Amino acid sequence: MKFKLPLLLIISLFFLSCDKENKTSKEVYIKGQIANPSSEYVVISKNNINIDTLRLDKNNRFEGNLKDIEAGLYVFRHPPENQIIYLEPGDSTLVWLNTLEFDESLNFSGKGSEKSNFLTNLYLLNQQDNDLILSYYKSDPSEFAKKTDSIRANRKQKLIDLEEKYEVSQDFYKIANSSINYEYYDLRERYAFLIRKYNPSLVEKIPSDFHDYRKDVSFNDTILEDSYVYLNFIDDFLRTKTLEDCAKIKPNDKNCTNLNSFENIKSRIELVDSLIQNKNIKNTFLDRLASQGIIYSQKEENIDLILNLLKNMDYSGNMKNGIAQMAKIQSDFLPGNSLGDKVYINTKKDTVKLKSFTRKPTITYRWMSSSSSHYIWQQDIIKNLQFKYPEVDFIGINLDMADPDKWIEVIKNNSFDPKLQFQATNIRVDENLLKNYLNKLIFMDAKGTIIRGDLQINTPDLEKKILEFISQQ
């Protein structure tokens, strides 16, 4: 944070001098500085289309003029992080951030900056709601309803205060107001899912008007295509609605809440097809769900069924080729297949077959050095499992194809057990798709025969599944 104030002082006079000439401009001037950059550029995009790429100079600063800008939401991306911003013709925006605390440090100044700052603050408040859900999902539905009403009223008052202070445009007010509403809807969807999964006795207490907002929801709002709140709501609605539909057909079937089950994923794909016509929004969810469905398929016919569903929907998403690649790979990872002869690289850079480095029942997990927050979180879980279940080998498979030495450096710096760490070879999938595999676990017997591969490292009842696996060996 210590770099922020000097930079703002240096450039503040520039924005004052530009303000008058930019009032009628159709361009947006954007400039900024990034502390601890994680890449060499920033990208401004809208609706999955890159508007401009701005490279950092030797002082980690960037600048550019964005031409023919329409008022609306845009995505500010500094790989691997991103955040939404609001731009209008004539804005002059100064950005400062520190990648060590990307969202918390992100700050905008200059003409029009109050809009992006408001949306960023909404995002941070929304993140706090994650803890709120965990503390309230055991509460009575009426009590939770009152809490969400209070949250929405508080957010709307903040928006009223912003409008009175800055006289923001009606276009921005509409987007911000919609974001507040969708945060409110999302809280209720997430709560409804959690009580159905963990506290079904509360379901009958849900007020009759608890989901009244559903009749007013649009699943095709072009203006909100880039809004994380809007997309989160759709995602959580799909989960809750699929669970509700399943519970009507199969009361008390716990598999209804298994988000990785083929039946659940298939139902959500079909729900997306029936509800969403906007191609960008539709493909966003089909990309995600089809990838998940392929990766966690346990039968060849399930893989074929997902591919046929997409074909019948005339699917044209960015993941079309990637999903086809993953379908071919998954055919090798179905239960009953053997991975014993699969070749990996050990930390001494020798090539070894899986069956040569383990004699125990084995669970493999995957990680990449570019996803540091993920592998740190992951290793905490793995170390705990290793301690509890010494009769199982937990093998880490690194996917760093572009930098084969980086994984060894991470192992040393983080005190991973090198005897249990290996690197994959000859991966037949685009590197951009590999992150889809980072939560996937594969359970194998001592000979390398796959027992199951439909679980994630964050599966709620994972330890129960591990005990079942051990008992079968």
Side-chain angles (χ1 to χ4, degrees):
M1 299 294 288
K2 63 182 179 181
F3 302 111
K4 182 194 296 187
L5 190 56
L7 179 64
L8 296 179
L9 290 174
I10 290 171
I11 305 178
S12 59
L13 290 176
F14 168 82
F15 281 110
L16 287 173
S17 65
C18 287
D19 191 54
K20 288 185 179 179
E21 77 179 58
N22 278 341
K23 283 187 184 298
T24 59
S25 171
K26 292 184 179 180
E27 299 181 355
V28 167
Y29 182 78
I30 186 168
K31 186 170 185 174
Q33 184 176 35
I34 299 177
N36 304 302
S38 53
S39 59
E40 299 177 350
Y41 56 89
V42 299
V43 178
I44 310 298
S45 65
K46 184 174 181 62
N47 301 342
N48 293 319
I49 298 174
N50 289 346
I51 306 299
D52 206 348
T53 299
L54 308 175
R55 295 208 163 267
L56 305 186
D57 64 16
K58 62 181 180 180
N59 296 312
N60 300 329
R61 295 177 182 173
F62 62 90
E63 64 178 307
N65 284 304
L66 309 178
K67 303 181 184 299
D68 298 321
I69 288 295
E70 296 180 359
L73 293 178
Y74 291 77
V75 176
F76 175 92
R77 183 160 56 92
H78 180 62
E81 303 283 357
N82 63 79
Q83 185 56 272
I84 58 171
I85 58 178
Y86 187 91
L87 299 176
E88 289 183 1
D91 282 354
S92 297
T93 302
L94 172 64
V95 185
W96 189 93
L97 69 91
N98 186 332
T99 61
L100 299 181
E101 293 183 314
F102 186 94
D103 297 309
E104 291 79 7
S105 68
L106 187 59
N107 183 274
F108 301 92
S109 61
K111 182 176 181 291
S113 61
E114 67 281 350
K115 297 166 292 190
S116 293
N117 280 328
F118 183 83
L119 294 177
T120 300
N121 288 333
L122 275 186
Y123 172 81
L124 294 174
L125 290 170
N126 183 260
Q127 290 300 100
Q128 294 175 18
D129 292 341
N130 292 326
D131 295 330
L132 174 85
I133 289 288
L134 293 177
S135 61
Y136 268 86
Y137 80 89
K138 295 180 181 180
S139 302
D140 184 274
S142 295
E143 181 182 349
F144 186 80
K146 291 178 183 178
K147 183 64 178 178
T148 55
D149 288 341
S150 174
I151 288 173
R152 180 160 68 164
N154 179 270
R155 305 281 199 268
K156 293 210 170 190
Q157 185 58 53
K158 290 180 183 294
L159 180 58
I160 291 171
D161 294 343
L162 182 80
E163 183 185 37
E164 291 177 349
K165 183 176 181 179
Y166 293 101
E167 296 182 359
V168 296
S169 68
Q170 286 304 301
D171 285 341
F172 172 77
Y173 189 94
K174 180 180 179 181
I175 286 177
N177 189 60
S178 293
S179 296
I180 292 169
N181 284 334
Y182 279 109
E183 177 193 27
Y184 168 82
Y185 306 156
D186 188 41
L187 284 172
R188 293 199 170 198
E189 294 296 336
R190 289 161 65 191
Y191 171 83
F193 177 84
L194 287 172
I195 64 169
R196 285 183 175 276
K197 185 176 177 68
Y198 298 110
N199 287 303
S201 62
L202 292 176
V203 172
E204 294 182 1
K205 296 183 179 181
I206 294 178
S208 59
D209 61 351
F210 191 83
H211 291 304
D212 271 3
Y213 56 83
R214 286 182 176 178
K215 62 179 181 292
D216 300 319
V217 165
S218 168
F219 294 93
N220 299 281
D221 197 327
T222 303
I223 295 175
L224 295 175
E225 281 183 29
D226 288 312
S227 170
Y228 63 88
V229 174
Y230 178 61
L231 297 178
N232 283 349
F233 160 73
I234 295 177
D235 192 27
D236 288 316
F237 169 81
L238 294 173
R239 294 177 181 180
T240 307
K241 187 67 169 64
T242 301
L243 191 163
E244 291 172 357
D245 293 344
C246 180
K248 290 177 183 177
I249 301 171
K250 305 174 183 176
N252 304 316
D253 186 345
K254 292 185 178 181
N255 202 45
C256 286
T257 63
N258 180 2
L259 297 177
N260 281 333
S261 74
F262 178 77
E263 291 76 13
N264 186 294
I265 293 172
K266 175 177 173 289
S267 294
R268 279 185 281 162
I269 289 175
E270 292 172 338
L271 200 53
V272 166
D273 187 46
S274 67
L275 291 175
I276 305 176
Q277 289 77 51
N278 178 295
K279 186 164 286 189
N280 285 336
I281 298 174
K282 185 172 186 174
N283 285 340
T284 293
F285 288 97
L286 290 181
D287 286 348
R288 184 185 310 167
L289 290 168
S291 299
Q292 186 180 358
I294 294 291
I295 290 172
Y296 294 101
S297 284
Q298 297 295 280
K299 298 178 182 178
E300 193 75 50
E301 53 263 38
N302 288 350
I303 297 175
D304 293 338
L305 183 53
I306 288 178
L307 294 178
N308 287 331
L309 276 174
L310 297 181
K311 183 178 180 180
N312 293 335
M313 294 174 188
D314 196 23
Y315 166 71
S316 59
N318 294 329
M319 291 283 290
K320 187 172 184 178
N321 292 332
I323 288 170
Q325 290 182 55
M326 287 188 284
K328 292 179 181 178
I329 291 175
Q330 185 60 21
S331 295
D332 295 332
F333 288 93
L334 298 175
N337 291 345
S338 176
L339 298 179
D341 288 321
K342 190 168 180 61
V343 174
Y344 296 92
I345 298 173
N346 64 20
T347 53
K348 295 179 181 179
K349 298 188 176 180
D350 298 324
T351 55
V352 293
K353 291 184 178 180
L354 185 147
K355 64 184 180 184
S356 71
F357 59 76
T358 180
R359 294 290 183 271
K360 299 178 182 179
T362 299
I363 296 176
T364 62
Y365 61 95
R366 282 133 198 82
W367 63 278
M368 299 175 71
S369 59
S370 59
S371 300
S372 58
S373 59
H374 182 273
Y375 70 66
I376 290 172
W377 163 80
Q378 184 185 57
Q379 278 299 311
D380 285 340
I381 296 173
I382 293 297
K383 287 179 180 179
N384 181 52
L385 294 175
Q386 287 172 329
F387 177 77
K388 288 183 176 180
Y389 309 105
E391 59 268 61
V392 176
D393 273 342
F394 292 87
I395 302 293
I397 305 297
N398 178 266
L399 303 178
D400 289 337
M401 297 297 97
D403 192 352
D405 293 322
K406 181 67 176 178
W407 73 290
I408 296 179
E409 180 184 339
V410 172
I411 288 170
K412 291 179 179 177
N413 292 341
N414 292 274
S415 301
F416 295 177
D417 186 345
K419 298 190 297 298
L420 298 174
Q421 294 295 329
F422 299 85
Q423 189 173 57
T425 61
N426 301 322
I427 296 180
R428 296 170 294 156
V429 63
D430 189 291
E431 286 191 32
N432 292 326
L433 303 176
L434 292 178
K435 288 187 177 181
N436 290 287
Y437 294 85
L438 295 186
N439 284 331
K440 181 179 176 67
L441 301 175
I442 296 180
F443 289 48
M444 296 174 287
D445 65 17
K447 295 180 181 180
T449 300
I450 298 173
I451 306 301
R452 66 182 306 169
D454 60 338
L455 298 175
Q456 298 187 85
I457 195 166
N458 55 350
T459 298
D461 58 348
L462 178 59
E463 292 196 47
K464 178 183 177 182
K465 303 299 184 184
I466 292 175
L467 287 171
E468 291 174 356
F469 169 61
I470 293 172
S471 68
Q472 295 166 0
Q473 303 306 305

